[in-house]
Amino acid sequence: MRTHHCNEIRPAHIGETVTLIGWVNTVRDQGGVIFIDLRDREGITQCVFRSEISPEAAELSHKLRSEDVIQVTGKVEERLKTDDVDTKNDKLETGAIEVAASQLTIVNKSEVLPFQLDKELSNEDLRLKHRYLDLRRPRLTNNLRQRHIITKAARDHLSDEGFIEVETPILSKATPEGARDFLVPSRINPGKFYALPQAPQQYKQMLMVAGVEKYFQVARCFRDEDLRADRQPEFTQIDIEASFVDDNDIIELIEGMLSSMFEEARGVKVPTPFERLTWKDAMNRFGSDKPERRIGMEMVDLTEELKDCEFRVFSGTVASGGVVKAINAKGFAGISVGQVDKLTKLAQEAGAKGLAYIQARDTDRSTWRSPFVKRMTDEEVEALRTKLNIEPGDLILFAADKWEPACDVLGRIRLEVADYQNLLEGNDDLDFLWVTEFPLLAYDEEEGRHVAVHHPFTRPLKEDEEKLRNGELDGLRAQAYDVVLNGYELGGGSIRIHEADLQSSMFKALGISDEEANTEFAHILDAFKFGAPPHGGIALGLDRVVMLACKEDSIREVIAFPKNNKGAEIMTSSPGTATSTALRDLRIKSTYVEKPKTEEAAE
Ligand code: ASP
């Protein structure tokens, strides 16, 4: 239907007759002569309809409207350039030429669109309802293509490294990754349910026992969670597992893969190896296990310096085993009252009692605005000044609590302040890093038991292995690693337990009874008895990687048909209701009755 696409014709083609097909992007009527920007997925070519070339085509061109599909044949001409008019368009790659139409076929008319494609639209539900139109916008067309390029780069890299792609079941069994499962009732096994995989974790480990050695999968995963801005109930992971490897092997593999993905997408070289921080260090310095390091503002520990401070919030915390930490938001002493209120609220929501801060207006401490500076000795003030490098105009923010919550609160404050200060505006740097040595277990106060920080198949550090076997559970570290880019966790993984007895110790540590372990995880415990190779792996969130490569703020912009924040895919109205016959076949009795709209509103 075409000889060229709409981003192909250049001055070298002048004089040739070409045929293009695509959508009418814009129509301009200049003194009775119609100019069309014809668009296909590759770009735009200007077509002009002059009656001296073809009266029929020129007449028909007056009927054209946005988004009609048309086919145009004509001669490639140079765009007019005289002394006073230059109709060349430098912004278009085809901007030096136009096609003088000798034939026009209207292939399919379009009705008036529900929204304009060349304007940003804030009503996301409307965009999602007509996603097939939304995706015609060049930005989204480009995102989909980038996604393909990035995924292909990953596949190529892994294939070159000897990995093979293996599919694992979608209708599968619950695997503990920390979220709620989506369940699918089995018609032929009444009362039984499949779970959609939160990740192919156990299957990929079984593939290692099966001798596959190097597995990967571009795997769809499902987690029934409350949705946050960059979460989707179904998402895609590049899932990887390998045998006879240690953490350095996985880390090196992923560095190579990510740098090739970003090189393909952004055309930039990503230097490797990435820096590594232990979890402890990341928390201590940045208050996060996925540190955004480009904003500076490292956290400083003042526990020793403020342990005798007359301000009880500090000294009292230290006396009860806690820490005092602070950050210096350079030049931000002029923070507004509203912003201070917001930060205080944030600190309280994160579990702090309040927010202590100093506005260091000038050099002398008498100019420092803060409710507690007057209760500090000169030595204490000098210690702050030196350790935090306080200069006139700085804002100092504190956290005093037990070590982990203090780091966490101040870490959140740090990110929020950086946002107020616009510290990242125009910053395109890519700061990749690894966070290693995560804790193996965390204590869940509500449940009164330990839970796995990564998942129950993660191996402790060699030096902590004996402790796990002996049930000494405090402070155990995992052979787990996360790869982080600009404050986002791109993925995480671990070296796994491959011995049945160590796996049993882990289940025990998690309060899983032998009986439960033997029913829920029998396959793992059995498989590990038959020569399971040492193995480890990782999974990367593809949606997030593509989002960052495309410089988007939301993963919905890089997914063809995403769900909205109520978990609905609006275009097809999913989820939908089921007929009573379908429910009967599944032996499901529906007790759910939809409330009348008014009642819902009243709530
Ligand atoms: N299954 C893990 C996850 O989805 C990743 C891994 O350990 O390989 O987070």
Side-chain angles (χ1 to χ4, degrees):
M1 289 185 180
R2 49 157 70 117
T3 57
H4 297 79
H5 62 67
C6 287
N7 193 14
E8 199 173 354
I9 306 173
R10 302 285 183 268
H13 297 93
I14 288 169
E16 280 179 35
T17 297
V18 298
T19 299
L20 304 177
I21 189 163
W23 289 266
V24 171
N25 197 57
T26 50
V27 187
R28 289 186 308 279
D29 184 339
Q30 280 177 10
V33 179
I34 298 292
F35 288 81
I36 296 288
D37 276 350
L38 187 64
R39 187 194 75 238
D40 64 14
R41 70 170 207 191
E42 305 295 331
I44 278 176
T45 299
Q46 177 166 291
C47 302
V48 53
F49 298 83
R50 293 198 182 87
S51 50
E52 53 283 19
I53 295 173
S54 163
E56 298 81 22
E59 197 189 317
L60 194 56
S61 72
H62 283 269
K63 299 211 169 80
L64 294 178
R65 296 288 171 265
S66 285
E67 298 307 306
D68 289 344
V69 178
I70 62 171
Q71 186 188 41
V72 178
T73 299
K75 205 179 252 180
V76 180
E77 292 183 351
E78 188 173 9
R79 287 213 203 172
L80 221 57
K81 187 177 182 185
T82 62
D83 284 346
D84 25 69
V85 243
D86 183 358
T87 59
K88 288 198 168 63
N89 181 350
D90 293 339
K91 287 195 202 109
L92 275 187
E93 286 180 83
T94 59
I97 56 94
E98 63 193 8
V99 172
S102 51
Q103 256 179 54
L104 166 64
T105 311
I106 300 183
V107 180
N108 207 358
K109 292 289 294 172
S110 168
E111 287 187 14
V112 175
L113 301 189
F115 51 82
Q116 273 176 276
L117 299 188
D118 56 355
K119 294 224 166 68
E120 286 299 319
L121 184 71
S122 54
N123 183 343
E124 198 181 15
D125 277 359
L126 186 61
R127 287 177 58 195
L128 293 178
K129 180 163 166 47
H130 303 277
R131 188 63 161 175
Y132 47 86
L133 294 177
D134 197 34
L135 289 172
R136 285 185 193 171
R137 299 164 193 264
R139 189 179 114 215
L140 292 184
T141 309
N142 186 50
N143 288 355
L144 289 188
R145 182 172 301 194
Q146 287 285 41
R147 189 178 174 112
H148 163 72
I149 289 170
I150 291 167
T151 315
K152 180 169 183 302
R155 279 200 163 101
D156 288 348
H157 188 86
L158 291 167
S159 305
D160 291 349
E161 295 289 329
F163 284 74
I164 60 169
E165 186 161 14
V166 181
E167 288 167 276
T168 54
I170 293 291
L171 293 176
S172 64
K173 200 174 158 162
T175 181
E177 294 278 348
R180 189 178 286 127
D181 289 314
F182 279 103
L183 294 177
V184 181
S186 166
R187 183 183 55 80
I188 39 185
N189 300 286
K192 295 248 165 77
F193 295 83
Y194 302 99
L196 302 183
Q198 293 186 32
Q201 184 60 36
Q202 295 180 60
Y203 288 111
K204 68 175 173 175
Q205 290 191 243
M206 294 296 105
L207 287 173
M208 294 304 106
V209 182
V212 168
E213 288 196 28
K214 294 177 169 189
Y215 143 96
F216 82 98
Q217 182 178 190
V218 179
R220 199 58 77 78
C221 304
F222 307 84
R223 299 184 188 181
D224 189 4
E225 294 177 297
D226 293 332
L227 303 176
R228 284 190 256 131
D230 64 344
R231 288 265 169 96
Q232 285 277 305
E234 60 179 302
F235 58 96
T236 308
Q237 285 188 345
I238 299 188
D239 194 43
I240 295 170
E241 196 76 10
S243 295
F244 312 121
V245 292
D246 63 17
D247 44 2
N248 287 317
D249 296 312
I250 300 288
I251 284 177
E252 233 173 78
L253 173 77
I254 297 307
E255 287 174 346
M257 184 179 91
L258 276 171
S259 69
S260 106
M261 289 158 88
F262 273 80
E263 196 170 332
E264 287 292 328
R266 282 228 202 155
V268 291
K269 265 247 162 311
V270 175
T272 56
F274 304 162
E275 255 182 76
R276 298 188 199 178
L277 287 181
T278 61
W279 173 81
K280 191 126 208 207
D281 214 11
M283 290 301 289
N284 211 26
R285 290 167 57 193
F286 305 101
S288 166
D289 59 7
K290 40 179 193 297
E292 166 60 275
R293 299 190 301 179
R294 297 174 305 162
I295 54 178
M297 260 195 284
E298 272 197 40
M299 305 188 335
V300 171
D301 189 281
L302 297 159
T303 311
E304 190 49 37
E305 288 76 5
L306 298 179
K307 67 177 191 300
D308 300 320
C309 184
E310 224 184 87
F311 183 48
R312 287 288 305 155
V313 171
F314 293 159
S315 50
T317 302
V318 180
S320 58
V323 299
V324 182
K325 301 185 82 84
I327 50 171
N328 183 349
K330 281 268 154 218
F332 203 48
I335 185 171
S336 74
V337 177
Q339 286 169 328
V340 169
D341 288 349
K342 272 209 227 152
L343 289 181
T344 310
K345 204 161 155 238
L346 183 84
Q348 284 164 344
E349 279 165 7
K353 291 199 189 67
L355 179 67
Y357 61 96
I358 300 173
Q359 290 165 288
R361 296 244 161 116
D362 213 328
T363 314
D364 196 273
R365 63 179 287 179
S366 64
T367 67
W368 290 11
R369 259 190 61 176
S370 139
F372 54 84
V373 163
K374 54 182 174 304
R375 290 204 246 154
M376 286 182 160
T377 64
D378 281 344
E379 289 75 58
E380 284 163 350
V381 168
E382 282 321 303
L384 288 191
R385 203 192 292 280
T386 323
K387 273 197 120 171
L388 285 156
N389 180 29
I390 303 177
E391 292 169 307
D394 290 351
L395 171 72
I396 314 300
L397 299 139
F398 295 83
D401 206 330
K402 290 206 194 74
W403 175 77
E404 201 174 332
C407 294
D408 175 60
V409 168
L410 201 56
R412 290 169 199 240
I413 300 275
R414 175 177 170 269
L415 289 177
E416 187 75 6
V417 169
D419 191 37
Y420 297 161
Q421 289 186 280
N422 274 328
L423 293 186
L424 286 172
E425 205 165 79
N427 188 332
D428 274 344
D429 294 350
L430 298 171
D431 180 36
F432 286 96
L433 71 118
W434 288 99
V435 177
T436 60
E437 292 184 22
F438 276 81
L440 185 71
L441 304 168
Y443 192 73
D444 186 322
E445 302 279 349
E446 259 172 50
E447 293 198 23
R449 64 174 186 97
H450 282 91
V451 291
V453 169
H454 189 49
H455 52 52
F457 315 109
T458 298
R459 192 174 193 85
L461 282 194
K462 183 114 203 75
E463 50 271 41
D464 291 350
E465 222 174 278
E466 243 355 83
K467 288 192 198 150
L468 177 61
R469 286 187 204 274
N470 297 336
E472 299 162 37
L473 303 183
D474 282 339
L476 298 186
R477 287 155 303 163
Q479 289 194 43
Y481 30 75
D482 274 5
V483 61
V484 174
L485 170 60
N486 296 352
Y488 288 91
E489 180 201 323
L490 295 185
S494 56
I495 299 299
R496 326 293 186 191
I497 296 170
H498 61 271
E499 309 91 326
D501 62 332
L502 190 60
Q503 188 63 67
S504 293
S505 303
M506 182 66 167
F507 286 144
K508 198 166 284 152
L510 298 172
I512 299 174
S513 67
D514 283 349
E515 197 190 348
E516 200 183 336
N518 283 328
T519 48
E520 285 305 304
F521 302 110
H523 51 292
I524 287 246
L525 294 173
D526 274 352
F528 282 0
K529 290 178 194 151
F530 299 104
H535 60 283
I538 192 165
L540 266 74
L542 179 65
D543 308 290
R544 210 171 274 170
V545 171
V546 178
M547 174 187 97
L548 291 169
C550 291
K551 303 183 191 171
E552 292 286 1
D553 293 330
S554 156
I555 57 171
R556 292 192 294 274
E557 304 294 354
V558 299
I559 296 173
F561 301 106
K563 307 220 173 358
N564 72 1
N565 57 9
K566 290 212 176 92
E569 196 274 280
I570 302 187
M571 185 181 73
T572 59
S573 308
S574 104
T577 47
T579 61
S580 46
T581 325
L583 290 177
R584 199 192 54 217
D585 287 350
L586 293 167
R587 318 276 219 282
I588 290 178
K589 213 161 137 196
S590 175
T591 49
Y592 179 75
V593 185
E594 207 164 322
K595 278 186 221 158
K597 284 272 175 287
T598 44
E599 218 175 283
E600 216 169 82
E603 280 179 9

